Amino acid sequence: MKLSKKNLDQQLDRVYDVIIVGGGIGGLSAAIYLQRYRLSCLVIEKGKGRSFWMQDVTNYLGLHPHTAGRSVLQQGQDHALAVGADHLRGYVEDVTDEGETFAVKVKLGKQDSSLPVFRSKYLIAASGIIDTLPQLEDMQNVFEYAGYNLHVCLICDGYEMADTKCGLFVGSEGAINTAFVLNWFTPYVTVFTNGQVEVSEEMRQKLQDHGYPLVETPIKKFLGHDHEMTGVELTDGSTVDLQTGLISMGSMYHDDYLRDISLERNGNNIITDSMCRTSHDRIFAVGDIKEGINQVSIAVADGTLAATAIWREIRRASPPRRWEENLIGVKS
């Protein structure tokens, strides 16, 4: 059921089998499988994660290519609730390992906030990441195009950028190397640093050798109409015509709640085994927060794997259910 400040008291004394931090694609997949395995779970969702901003889920089998991410999330949430999952809109502030259970502190509400604590035997971290966008004076101008033809994922959207004039917007010199992968889809690449990246002579030469212009003048605003970006205006008044864009400026990881729990990582990504189990035997990680490829299809599979691993473990530790009526007179 949907929980809120009005009805959550009845669940505070409960120990869930699993608490899932994050109600995105991976978290909802896990919730559906857990409930179908007849386990109890609580999904805690802060809202407006990476999938929410996807205007079109263009590469998922069975979905129309113009299905919005928020539609997929709503259907997933409805499905999870229908099979008995609990769902709470809130921000997970802290997770404490109590030994046999986890204590999960949640902040509810921006004003007059409360901090209820929920408990579970297992934890699934499905809180994901959010992409860093170019920081302009008018951020609404960025939001007007981000997720439409101003893309954030080369693997997801390379097809949409094929053979077009593409701006690559970077936040570091290392990110400029994306140009040399992007050129599989289009050779018409212009690199923008927004005046915030020091570019070595070696990298300048490499760009020149490929014919890719380097624009270091800061960006004033994106140009376009009806969510279609058509170029950029620079602070010196000049403009650059574009047909599409790719942002490669890194990501923010939503995992501060795990700060007191030591987990093996590769950079910011949590390392897991083939069933999405972390270095902590009762914590699983799914989706973009873990090491691997950031795709909707991967997140769905991750949720399935984590839920199945937890079910197997709980099932094997549980006594078998017997058809007692057929055992009458058998026992002596």
Side-chain angles (χ1 to χ4, degrees):
M1 67 177 172
K2 280 196 170 184
L3 301 182
S4 67
K5 285 185 178 181
K6 296 180 179 179
N7 65 357
L8 60 82
D9 286 350
Q10 58 189 291
Q11 301 294 62
L12 292 178
D13 292 331
R14 181 179 189 181
V15 177
Y16 289 92
D17 289 310
V18 186
I19 287 179
I20 303 168
V21 182
I25 301 294
L28 290 172
S29 172
I32 290 166
Y33 270 86
L34 287 166
Q35 292 296 144
R36 288 176 60 85
Y37 284 137
R38 305 187 73 180
L39 298 176
S40 61
C41 75
L42 166 63
V43 179
I44 304 173
E45 161 64 18
K46 65 175 176 50
K48 295 187 177 180
R50 201 181 194 207
S51 301
F52 178 86
W53 297 104
M54 296 170 62
Q55 305 304 324
D56 294 311
V57 182
T58 56
N59 53 3
Y60 191 84
L61 181 66
L63 291 183
H64 190 283
H66 294 301
T67 303
R70 65 191 67 186
S71 296
V72 179
L73 293 174
Q74 188 59 60
Q75 290 179 34
Q77 185 183 129
D78 292 344
H79 190 172
L81 289 168
V83 290
D86 284 349
H87 184 280
L88 176 66
R89 179 61 65 88
Y91 181 83
V92 174
E93 290 217 329
D94 182 65
V95 171
T96 302
D97 184 356
E98 299 179 316
E100 294 185 359
T101 59
F102 293 105
V104 180
K105 183 192 293 184
V106 184
K107 181 180 180 181
L108 300 181
K110 293 182 179 180
Q111 296 180 343
D112 299 323
S113 300
S114 61
L115 294 168
V117 175
F118 298 87
R119 285 178 168 81
S120 65
K121 302 171 188 174
Y122 291 81
L123 184 83
I124 295 180
S127 41
I129 64 176
I130 197 70
D131 301 282
T132 302
L133 301 177
Q135 297 300 297
L136 305 186
E137 184 175 341
D138 178 11
M139 286 305 297
Q140 187 57 44
N141 173 252
V142 182
F143 301 144
E144 184 74 15
Y145 306 108
Y148 291 90
N149 72 331
L150 184 54
H151 306 284
V152 296
C153 178
L154 175 59
I155 294 174
C156 302
D157 300 322
Y159 180 87
E160 275 69 40
M161 295 181 276
D163 298 322
T164 61
K165 294 173 67 175
C166 182
L168 174 63
F169 303 91
V170 302
S172 66
E173 183 177 74
I176 296 176
N177 286 303
T178 304
F180 311 112
V181 181
L182 178 60
N183 65 18
W184 172 265
F185 296 100
T186 180
Y188 313 120
V189 179
T190 300
V191 176
F192 295 83
T193 68
N194 200 24
Q196 298 176 345
V197 178
E198 291 188 14
V199 183
S200 66
E201 289 303 319
E202 181 181 3
M203 181 61 77
R204 292 175 187 276
Q205 186 61 52
K206 188 175 182 180
L207 289 170
Q208 186 175 332
D209 291 344
H210 285 74
Y212 303 157
L214 174 64
V215 179
E216 298 179 271
T217 304
I219 298 167
K220 180 178 180 181
K221 65 179 179 179
F222 288 96
L223 304 174
H225 53 83
D226 301 322
H227 301 299
E228 181 182 354
M229 188 269 295
T230 59
V232 296
E233 179 182 341
L234 305 175
T235 54
D236 64 6
S238 63
T239 61
V240 180
D241 293 333
L242 299 170
Q243 295 169 292
T244 189
L246 176 65
I247 298 170
S248 183
M249 301 183 68
S251 306
M252 178 186 298
Y253 286 70
H254 295 304
D255 63 352
D256 284 351
Y257 57 91
L258 294 172
R259 59 187 173 273
D260 294 328
I261 299 177
S262 178
L263 299 176
E264 290 184 12
R265 297 174 182 265
N266 181 7
N268 290 319
N269 294 108
I270 298 172
I271 296 174
T272 66
D273 66 12
S274 61
M275 297 298 285
C276 298
R277 192 191 303 265
T278 71
S279 54
H280 188 299
D281 62 359
R282 290 182 294 112
I283 298 179
F284 291 72
V286 304
D288 297 349
I289 201 172
K290 64 181 276 286
E291 189 176 37
I293 300 175
N294 299 347
Q295 296 289 291
V296 169
S297 54
I298 301 298
V300 170
D302 284 348
T304 306
L305 291 168
T308 301
I310 293 170
W311 169 65
R312 285 176 177 172
E313 204 159 274
I314 292 176
R315 174 178 59 83
R316 289 167 181 163
S318 302
R321 301 176 70 196
R322 304 179 188 278
W323 193 344
E324 297 295 339
E325 290 82 357
N326 286 342
L327 296 177
I328 297 175
V330 175
K331 299 178 181 178
S332 58

